[in-house]
Amino acid sequence: MICVKFSDDMGKNEEGVDLGGPRREFLRLLMDTIARSAMFEGKENCKNLALDSTALRGDWYYISGRAIAVSLVHGGPPPNFLSPTVFSLLVGNSANPALEDIADLELFEKVKKISQSTTLEDLEKSKEPLLDYLANAGCLRPMRSLRDRDLLVHDIVMFQVIHRVQGPFQRFCEGLKTLGVLEKMRRHPDSFRPLFCYEPHMLTADHVDDLFNIHLSPEGSNRRAAEEMVVTFWRAYLQDAEEGPSKLQKILAFATGATAVPPIGFSPAPSIEFIHRGDDDFSSTPIFPLANTCVNCIRLPLHVSYQLFKEKFDFALGNTYGFGRV
């Protein structure tokens, strides 16, 4: 089991035992950092491996594969930023990358010009700026027909996207073997594909509401009546949050430290409790919601109007900065 401790800017450890919240927050930050690193290139949600000498020296490709495996097993987010090309290779299948997979814009334009050649003369002219590159890639050969043009483009794309990063790819695979993850990926590729390749999936108010178990006071009590009114405010707040693409993610992160439901789910299940006057030394009526990400719990104050509930919840979300340094 991983235990994560965050510290403030002075290096002082934050109080509390890691029961899941700090770990999820750390793994979320880790996956974001890996996705933005120089080890990957391409579109935001469809990245291929890049060739980075610093990462090779530091064996970062292995470390990133290991980190992804650990995140999947220990309740962190999935790395759903990889291209279908990379995933196919990871699970032992063949891959056929497209011209658009070339992340180097200058190279992309030159290869695109080759692909658009309509005569052998145009093909030779468009090939000239890439002679050195073609020689290094093992693609330099005479063009005798336009069919040779298509083969040349295919060979360039295969070299740029796959063959030149074989070293990083092998180390990345070694890292993914941690805890048996790569083995399971190859046994169950269809189950793992949505975790590694981006698929549009927005949180909905109903989905978030279903995640939380609501702990109500005994039926018929005065506390129960006040709590049931706040439950309607909570559900109305979730419906309003659907208007903004990231607000539901912020609400989930406020309660759990995660912006998405982990592949293995939450443990313990997220819950909602209520703050009554006199509870936990509250001598006056509390006005802001409180969260304990270690146990995935939100505690809601008992406001009597939706507008006040919304105002105070918005303030709580806007002034929660997460954890410090890890």
Side-chain angles (χ1 to χ4, degrees):
M1 181 59 68
I2 298 172
C3 181
V4 175
K5 280 185 176 288
F6 283 85
S7 65
D8 59 21
D9 290 339
M10 302 301 293
K12 182 179 179 182
N13 286 342
E14 295 185 358
E15 296 295 330
V17 178
D18 180 11
L19 299 177
R23 181 170 68 251
R24 283 188 295 273
E25 177 78 358
F26 167 68
L27 292 172
R28 181 181 67 81
L29 295 172
L30 182 59
M31 291 302 103
D32 287 345
T33 301
I34 290 174
R36 295 195 306 269
S37 73
M39 292 179 288
F40 298 92
E41 62 184 9
K43 299 176 183 177
E44 181 178 0
N45 294 316
C46 188
K47 294 192 174 186
N48 293 301
L49 282 167
L51 183 59
D52 185 82
S53 59
T54 302
L56 277 172
R57 282 196 303 272
D59 208 13
W60 295 352
Y61 294 98
Y62 170 81
I63 294 170
S64 66
R66 188 176 177 88
I68 287 170
V70 167
S71 181
L72 289 172
V73 172
H74 286 275
N80 56 351
F81 60 85
L82 295 178
S83 72
T85 296
V86 173
F87 182 77
S88 292
L89 295 171
L90 287 174
V91 297
N93 295 333
S94 59
N96 188 25
L99 176 59
E100 290 72 21
D101 284 319
I102 296 179
D104 185 320
L105 293 180
E106 184 178 352
L107 177 62
F108 170 79
E109 290 299 330
K110 291 177 179 178
V111 179
K112 183 179 179 181
K113 193 171 181 180
I114 291 176
S115 71
Q116 294 173 339
S117 302
T118 56
T119 66
L120 282 174
E121 184 180 357
D122 288 342
L123 181 56
E124 290 296 338
K125 286 182 180 178
S126 60
K127 195 178 74 170
E128 283 182 8
L130 285 174
L131 291 179
D132 289 341
Y133 177 91
L134 295 177
N136 290 330
C139 303
L140 186 60
R141 55 180 178 268
M143 298 289 104
R144 297 187 174 88
S145 70
L146 289 180
R147 184 174 181 278
D148 292 332
R149 172 202 65 190
D150 297 335
L151 290 174
L152 177 62
V153 171
H154 176 266
D155 288 347
I156 294 172
V157 173
M158 289 292 290
F159 173 79
Q160 183 67 20
V161 178
I162 297 177
H163 297 153
R164 76 187 181 98
V165 293
Q166 275 303 299
F169 177 77
Q170 293 302 324
R171 294 305 295 157
F172 187 57
C173 287
E174 287 298 314
L176 279 171
K177 290 180 181 178
T178 301
L179 301 175
V181 169
L182 186 61
E183 177 190 354
K184 294 296 186 294
M185 288 171 58
R186 290 174 174 171
R187 286 187 184 179
H188 310 283
D190 291 340
S191 297
F192 278 88
R193 186 173 289 106
L195 305 182
F196 282 77
C197 301
Y198 176 76
E199 293 183 359
H201 177 70
M202 296 297 292
L203 282 174
T204 65
D206 289 342
H207 187 197
V208 174
D209 188 28
D210 289 342
L211 289 172
F212 287 83
N213 296 322
I214 300 176
H215 297 161
L216 295 165
S217 296
E219 196 168 350
S221 65
N222 291 335
R223 286 190 169 202
R224 175 68 171 253
E227 291 167 358
E228 287 179 342
M229 178 181 293
V230 173
V231 169
T232 64
F233 296 162
W234 159 253
R235 288 174 174 154
Y237 188 73
L238 294 180
Q239 292 293 334
D240 288 346
E242 281 191 331
E243 298 176 5
S246 63
K247 192 168 183 180
L248 286 172
Q249 291 180 331
K250 291 179 180 178
I251 295 171
L252 189 61
F254 179 73
T256 67
T259 56
V261 181
I264 65 169
F266 288 110
S267 180
S271 63
I272 290 176
E273 297 178 355
F274 301 90
I275 309 172
H276 293 270
R277 184 172 180 174
D279 289 352
D280 297 336
D281 297 327
F282 283 110
S283 57
S284 59
T285 303
I287 60 175
F288 297 109
L290 303 174
N292 184 342
T293 61
C294 288
V295 292
N296 303 324
C297 180
I298 292 180
R299 303 186 67 202
L300 299 177
L302 299 176
H303 292 301
V304 295
S305 78
Y306 174 65
Q307 188 57 40
L308 187 59
F309 177 93
K310 182 177 185 298
E311 176 186 328
K312 300 308 179 185
F313 212 123
D314 284 345
F315 183 88
L317 287 182
N319 289 274
T320 301
Y321 300 104
F323 298 93
R325 299 178 180 178
V326 68

